[in-house]
Amino acid sequence: MQWLGIRSCAATAEATAIPANNAAPNTPARRRAIRSGLIAIAIPPSPSASPPGSCPEMGIRTSPPCPCVNFSGRGGGLCRNRPSYPKVSRSCGQSPAPSPRRGLAHPPPNPYGGRNRKPTIPMPSASRYHAARRVLSHFYHIRMRAKLRNIALPSGGGKITEISLRDGFITLSGQASQPFRLVSDRASASLFPRQDGQFQAVLEGARYLTIADAAQDGETVTFLLGRRRDHVLAALRCATVLAAFPLQHHRDLRAYFLRGDSEAGDRLERSLLPILAPAGGIPVPRGATGLPPAPRPAPPVPQDRPAVVILPVYNAADLVRECLDHLGRNTTCPHRVLIIDDASPDPVIRPLLEAWVAAHPQAELLRNPENLGFVGTVNRGLAHAAGHDVVLLNSDAMVPPGWLERLLRALHENDEIASVTPLSNDAEIFAAPVECRPRILAPGEAEAADRMAARLDGTVAWAEAPTGVGFCMAMRREWLERLPQLDTIFGRGYGEEVDWCRRTAALGARHVGTGTLFVEHRSGSSFGDEKPARVQANNRIISARYPGYDLMVQQFRDRDPLAGPRLAVGLALLAGRRDRPDRGFPVWLAHRWGGGAELWLNGRIAEDIAQENGALVLRDASEERDAPEGAVLAELHSAEGITRVLLEGEDMARLLAQIPVPLAIGYSCLAGARDPLGFMRRLDETLTLRARDGDSLTFLFHDYLPLCPSYTLMGANRQYCGLPGPEACQKCYAALPVTSGRRPARIAEWRAEWLRLARRAREIIVFSADSRRHVETVWPELADKISLAPHEAGHLPPPVAPGGSPALTVGVLGAIGYNKGAAILRDLAARTGKSFRLVLIGKIDPAYAHPGMTIHGPYQRDEIAELARRYALDCWFLPSIWPETFSYTVHECLATGLPVLGFDLGAQGDSLRQAPNGIVLPLGTPLTPELFAQSLGRDPLAAVAAGKSAARPAPHDN
């Protein structure tokens, strides 16, 4: 079963889920439990053998990304902070990113994901006040502080030493003799104690906590978390914050409660509640790359205890020769090499090994009289090397210069450390650039990766792990004395190091991965096609011996404590191979909202992976919970997948400064950033610090943020401003909501700072002639830098015949918020009837939904033509009231051949004027069924029955 549910960010807890099968009747009580978030929804497993994110070599089964649609109709799935609703698994690819909170901008669920179903929604004012009450309730509970101590676990299984409640999270610590389950008012988790019986967990919640035995019918204990005194103090904390709130946010309060402005509601909610987690429920890993502000001398390696490198060999002469060459050239500290030939039938192996040993006096050669397999061969080597630290090294591992010093330095950091494993291109949870995704390295990549690894601070770039990986694993002498042999049940290999690590962990040992070393691994050469079957069989043994091991590995992957070093080393690796040296390595600055800009960026990243080996995307992360000022969400994209990590801005700047190849930085969009100018200033300082020839900066105008904090050019009156001039712009600028982002006092300062940055750009790219006019209006001095390069729409639907039904049916495509014309659609929906139908293929802000509108819900782009035929559309309507910089939607609608109506502004107006089936309407045109009938050449009298009043855009629509 693949589970979709709420997963704790703790290192010792993972979500449980209740199967949605016939044994669980769909009762009102169960539906209420689902809505409250106490029950997670299970979906059938996908037919693929290895879902994205899984690691079959380590026996890991992971949850796929949630295909559900959340309460607001936005795609993205489950979040720790909101309920889940199983709906049709479609996504238009152009929706805004899902909100990680449920609140003001998104009133209670509107279940109109089904086709041809008209929604029933509460009155707008009622839903607004209901949402406000819910947000204030959550605001109150996350300010609760409480502590409870010495609580006995059910069935005498131990005790909880302390429970601490703060900021909406419950922290538990104590001792237990068996697994148990936790359920709070917001999340649930299964908790497995460590080998010493200790546990610590973090679970979201604030009201109550239920503790139960892991057994199905075990004892259960439930208790409230806050006492009367705690509630009084929480109320005082809330009052302190809320006292000044109306003065600080009066514009947004009026806009939300009087006009139902969902964007104002979103800003209000953002001011009150933290962003807790991204869609999918798993927090973005936080960490540090390990790059020090200044070079630090590495501590010395003990010279009085030389390590023994054990190298089992079986055939593969070419790889063995290369492995020995790297080992001989790159190992300089005191050591011994013990080569064991496991009865290789290849006649080349014996003279090859003898010649190498003869040339290296610190080496010794042993031969097995018969094939013992990997485990038996290693055990012979361990017995021969008794009393020494040992490094297990595969014959397909290529070690870099200084490798042994760095590995042993980490091993001797602490007496409790029993094993150390480096990063590699193929080392399961220690793989880079993406964990558990092997990568075949091109020439130069391994060297570039290790040069970066060698710069990292070993006191930062390490993490405790549930196991080591035996391709290159250092083992401490003291722990080998306690467990001197690997278990021979694992036969020729795979899984034996996991067993040794778990057995030593039971004795108190720790196993770590270090980011200060990168070793190339050409995996599986010794076992060839046997590997999948061997992995599967040995994983069954591990699962039977250590039932909690899979969970430990999954929790390690969710936290990814090596994400910072993994990203730094992976970035150097990808940049180390330059297929096109005339271009720099791509670095994109982007927002986190999805939509058309993200759709374009995803396509561009795919090109970068094919042409430039990968790409780095940097996003503002200031609103992440407890994120430091200037935090950056870094995403490293490669053919193997994506590595994400939340980094401090200074750490990211140091990393970019260390990349030895030119960088091609592209500004895509920073709308929604808390301090976009500060973000760009730090980038400018980094480029100045690098001072490298070939670095370039390109501005792309996916919206108008560099011209105005209102990136859609919608003024304080919620209408398109038209860039009227300095005085009028300043008056509007001063009236913009205070929560719309950090900015200077005057718009002239805003534009001047962006202009300084734009002057540094090699090129400014716009995607429509209308956008070019807007940019030249504000920055006429940069006209020579501006290039017009419309996007390639791609994946366009085929032509569709008009519906031909007696009722005129108008289709609308996409995710519709206020700027996209939601208020217009709501008023137009009020005029629908037997002669006039309005169909939205997509989603709408719930504040503007209307029963007269048929809402299909999310869709795939290749479904557009089929859906147009299904709903018998006669034409399309684009209600957007801001000057879009480019519109994929208008090109998709035009490609169907149906008439397309829209307002004459922005890129959408440019496209409609140029298309034979485009019909432009002046902005502000009263919209009636008769107007649509006349525009299509139909009898307007047939539409009169649909209604008499017009729908028009207005700044105060409610």
Side-chain angles (χ1 to χ4, degrees):
M1 180 68 72
Q2 295 173 357
W3 297 111
L4 299 178
I6 301 167
R7 289 200 283 183
S8 169
C9 65
T12 51
E14 181 174 294
T16 57
I18 299 176
N21 53 27
N22 294 333
N26 189 23
T27 62
R30 186 174 188 276
R31 289 196 297 271
R32 285 195 297 273
I34 293 174
R35 286 195 295 271
S36 69
L38 297 181
I39 297 179
I41 307 300
I43 63 169
S46 64
S48 62
S50 180
S54 65
C55 182
E57 290 195 19
M58 302 198 73
I60 302 168
R61 184 175 61 240
T62 62
S63 300
C66 173
C68 299
V69 175
N70 63 21
F71 55 89
S72 67
R74 297 179 178 181
L78 304 173
C79 184
R80 296 185 302 166
N81 197 20
R82 65 182 182 218
S84 59
Y85 292 87
K87 293 191 179 182
V88 181
S89 176
R90 291 184 173 86
S91 173
C92 64
Q94 302 183 39
S95 309
S99 169
R101 303 177 306 272
R102 173 182 176 185
L104 297 175
H106 314 294
N110 295 297
Y112 22 103
R115 302 189 187 106
N116 240 347
R117 188 164 19 147
K118 295 187 177 182
T120 301
I121 61 173
M123 293 296 292
S125 60
S127 68
R128 290 199 291 273
Y129 285 102
H130 180 82
R133 185 176 64 181
R134 182 174 58 249
V135 168
L136 288 174
S137 174
H138 186 47
F139 173 73
Y140 168 78
H141 282 97
I142 64 176
R143 271 152 184 77
M144 183 81 73
R145 308 281 190 271
K147 281 193 177 181
L148 302 173
R149 291 184 172 87
N150 298 326
I151 298 172
L153 290 173
S155 305
K159 74 173 183 177
I160 299 177
T161 307
E162 181 178 277
I163 298 178
S164 175
L165 172 63
R166 186 180 180 89
D167 297 334
F169 285 87
I170 307 166
T171 303
L172 308 89
S173 60
Q175 189 167 12
S177 59
Q178 60 190 20
F180 57 92
R181 291 174 50 244
L182 302 172
V183 179
S184 75
D185 52 299
R186 288 191 171 270
S188 62
S190 291
L191 195 146
F192 292 82
R194 297 194 298 263
Q195 296 290 341
D196 58 1
Q198 299 295 319
F199 67 83
Q200 186 172 12
V202 179
L203 192 71
E204 189 184 355
R207 304 187 186 191
Y208 68 85
L209 182 66
T210 297
I211 306 173
D213 278 348
Q216 187 167 355
D217 299 321
E219 182 183 345
T220 299
V221 176
T222 301
F223 50 89
L224 298 176
L225 294 172
R227 299 163 296 182
R228 180 177 298 179
R229 174 177 173 273
D230 299 322
H231 284 278
V232 171
L233 293 175
L236 291 175
R237 294 186 193 99
C238 291
T240 302
V241 176
L242 294 177
F245 194 79
L247 297 176
Q248 296 171 340
H249 305 283
H250 58 92
R251 290 192 182 91
D252 281 338
L253 288 168
R254 286 201 305 267
Y256 176 69
F257 284 105
L258 299 182
R259 299 197 302 267
D261 182 355
S262 64
E263 291 186 354
D266 201 22
R267 290 192 294 268
L268 290 169
E269 183 185 356
R270 207 159 49 230
S271 300
L272 290 173
L273 302 181
I275 294 180
L276 297 177
I282 303 175
V284 176
R286 304 180 181 212
T289 62
L291 278 169
R296 299 176 181 175
V301 176
Q303 300 294 308
D304 57 345
R305 47 188 296 171
V308 178
V309 180
I310 298 178
L311 182 68
V313 173
Y314 182 80
N315 289 342
D318 291 340
L319 278 176
V320 171
R321 183 180 292 108
E322 194 171 353
C323 173
L324 292 173
D325 179 58
H326 281 76
L327 183 62
R329 285 188 292 109
N330 298 329
T331 311
T332 55
C333 68
H335 71 287
R336 290 170 49 205
V337 178
L338 181 61
I339 303 175
I340 309 175
D341 179 7
D342 192 18
S344 299
D346 186 346
V348 177
I349 290 293
R350 181 166 181 169
L352 171 65
L353 299 181
E354 289 176 346
W356 195 88
V357 169
H360 296 80
Q362 77 279 19
E364 183 179 358
L365 176 62
L366 301 179
R367 295 191 186 89
N368 294 337
E370 60 182 13
N371 185 267
L372 301 180
F374 182 82
V375 176
T377 301
V378 168
N379 280 342
R380 184 183 180 191
L382 291 174
H384 199 79
H388 293 82
D389 296 329
V390 164
V391 178
L392 301 184
L393 186 67
N394 279 15
S395 60
D396 54 7
M398 311 300 163
V399 294
W403 72 282
L404 189 56
E405 293 94 325
R406 285 178 271 163
L407 202 59
L408 295 179
R409 194 173 291 126
L411 186 68
H412 297 148
E413 187 71 29
N414 189 296
D415 291 344
E416 294 180 351
I417 295 176
S419 76
V420 177
T421 305
L423 295 180
S424 175
N425 60 300
D426 189 356
E428 299 163 353
I429 59 175
F430 303 111
V434 181
E435 62 177 354
C436 291
R437 297 290 179 89
R439 176 185 178 90
I440 299 175
L441 297 183
E445 289 185 338
E447 293 79 3
D450 187 64
R451 282 193 295 271
M452 176 62 74
R455 296 189 183 105
L456 305 186
D457 183 351
T459 63
V460 176
W462 71 277
E464 188 169 350
T467 184
V469 179
F471 85 102
C472 178
M473 185 174 80
M475 306 168 76
R476 191 178 179 92
R477 177 182 67 194
E478 289 79 3
W479 293 102
L480 281 171
E481 289 172 353
R482 301 179 71 175
L483 283 174
Q485 296 280 283
L486 305 181
D487 194 331
T488 56
I489 195 175
F490 294 95
R492 294 184 62 196
Y494 290 109
E496 69 285 342
E497 76 271 49
V498 175
D499 178 75
W500 187 85
C501 288
R502 297 320 308 155
R503 285 192 290 152
T504 52
L507 300 175
R510 300 164 63 194
H511 305 279
V512 304
T514 178
T516 63
L517 174 63
F518 182 92
V519 176
E520 181 181 4
H521 184 205
R522 301 177 191 175
S523 177
S525 60
S526 297
F527 299 102
D529 296 337
E530 294 181 45
K531 181 177 177 179
R534 186 171 304 281
V535 169
Q536 188 175 13
N538 288 357
N539 274 338
R540 286 196 292 267
I541 299 173
I542 294 295
S543 297
R545 288 186 176 183
Y546 312 104
Y549 172 71
D550 286 357
L551 177 60
M552 296 172 65
V553 174
Q554 184 57 57
Q555 289 168 350
F556 179 89
R557 297 192 63 198
D558 288 349
R559 293 181 295 113
D560 197 2
L562 284 171
R566 195 189 313 274
L567 182 130
V569 171
L571 176 59
L573 183 153
L574 297 177
R577 177 168 65 90
R578 307 299 301 128
D579 292 338
R580 299 179 65 178
D582 57 318
R583 294 177 53 173
F585 187 81
V587 179
W588 296 102
L589 314 179
H591 62 41
R592 304 176 67 180
W593 288 352
E598 189 70 9
L599 181 66
W600 174 85
L601 183 59
N602 288 337
R604 181 56 186 266
I605 289 172
E607 295 179 10
D608 290 338
I609 291 173
Q611 298 175 2
E612 311 296 339
N613 214 20
L616 179 67
V617 179
L618 304 180
R619 307 179 194 268
D620 176 78
S622 300
E623 291 190 353
E624 286 284 344
R625 185 176 184 271
D626 296 332
E629 185 71 19
V632 176
L633 173 60
E635 301 175 355
L636 183 62
H637 295 250
S638 65
E640 290 69 41
I642 306 173
T643 292
R644 293 182 174 90
V645 62
L646 197 70
L647 297 173
E648 293 187 5
E650 293 180 358
D651 196 8
M652 190 71 243
R654 286 195 295 270
L655 176 58
L656 292 179
Q658 292 290 337
I659 301 302
V661 301
L663 299 179
I665 300 174
Y667 169 86
S668 176
C669 178
L670 286 178
R674 179 183 295 177
D675 185 11
L677 269 178
F679 193 101
M680 293 299 295
R681 288 191 195 103
R682 287 190 295 273
L683 177 70
D684 183 56
E685 293 168 0
T686 301
L687 290 176
T688 302
L689 178 65
R690 281 175 55 85
R692 182 176 295 276
D693 292 338
D695 285 351
S696 65
L697 174 64
T698 301
F699 264 73
L700 295 90
F701 268 81
H702 282 119
D703 57 42
Y704 296 106
L705 182 68
L707 307 185
C708 180
S710 178
Y711 54 89
T712 59
L713 299 185
M714 300 288 285
N717 62 357
R718 305 182 80 216
Q719 290 181 308
Y720 167 53
C721 68
L723 294 174
E727 292 185 5
C729 279
Q730 176 57 35
K731 183 177 180 180
C732 177
Y733 178 84
L736 290 175
V738 296
T739 51
S740 60
R742 187 175 299 168
R743 60 181 192 263
R746 302 189 61 80
I747 193 169
E749 299 173 31
W750 173 275
R751 291 174 177 172
E753 185 65 16
W754 280 100
L755 175 61
R756 183 184 69 81
L757 296 166
R759 289 183 191 277
R760 185 164 194 158
R762 177 179 298 177
E763 187 179 19
I764 298 173
I765 298 177
V766 297
F767 307 107
S768 67
D770 183 80
S771 292
R772 181 169 198 154
R773 288 191 293 269
H774 281 90
V775 178
E776 289 180 346
T777 297
V778 178
W779 293 340
E781 58 269 63
L782 298 184
D784 292 343
K785 283 191 173 186
I786 300 175
S787 300
L788 176 60
H791 293 315
E792 293 289 336
H795 306 291
L796 295 175
V800 175
S805 63
L808 194 160
T809 305
V810 177
V812 179
L813 188 67
I816 309 299
Y818 180 83
N819 295 339
K820 294 281 189 176
I824 293 175
L825 288 189
R826 179 198 57 198
D827 292 347
L828 192 59
R831 315 317 318 158
T832 57
K834 293 183 179 179
S835 303
F836 182 75
R837 296 174 59 231
L838 186 62
V839 177
L840 171 59
I841 299 174
K843 301 168 287 188
I844 191 169
D845 186 329
Y848 297 96
H850 191 282
M853 188 188 319
T854 299
I855 300 179
H856 171 80
Y859 63 94
Q860 296 286 354
R861 299 178 75 192
D862 56 7
E863 296 178 316
I864 294 174
E866 189 270 330
L867 292 173
R869 286 189 288 266
R870 180 186 304 171
Y871 289 108
L873 300 185
D874 294 298
C875 68
W876 296 99
F877 175 47
L878 301 174
S880 182
I881 56 175
W882 77 282
E884 301 196 34
T885 57
F886 185 84
S887 173
Y888 287 95
T889 302
V890 68
H891 289 279
E892 290 164 349
C893 292
L894 289 170
T896 65
L898 298 176
V900 183
L901 290 78
F903 294 117
D904 189 10
L905 81 164
Q908 65 269 41
D910 289 349
S911 299
L912 291 176
R913 283 194 303 273
Q914 296 169 9
N917 55 331
I919 301 172
V920 292
L921 306 171
L923 183 63
T925 299
L927 299 176
T928 63
E930 297 90 348
L931 174 67
F932 283 91
Q934 290 174 345
S935 299
L936 301 181
R938 298 177 63 160
D939 183 3
L941 296 178
V944 172
K948 298 180 180 180
S949 58
R952 71 179 69 213
H956 301 291
D957 276 352
N958 189 22

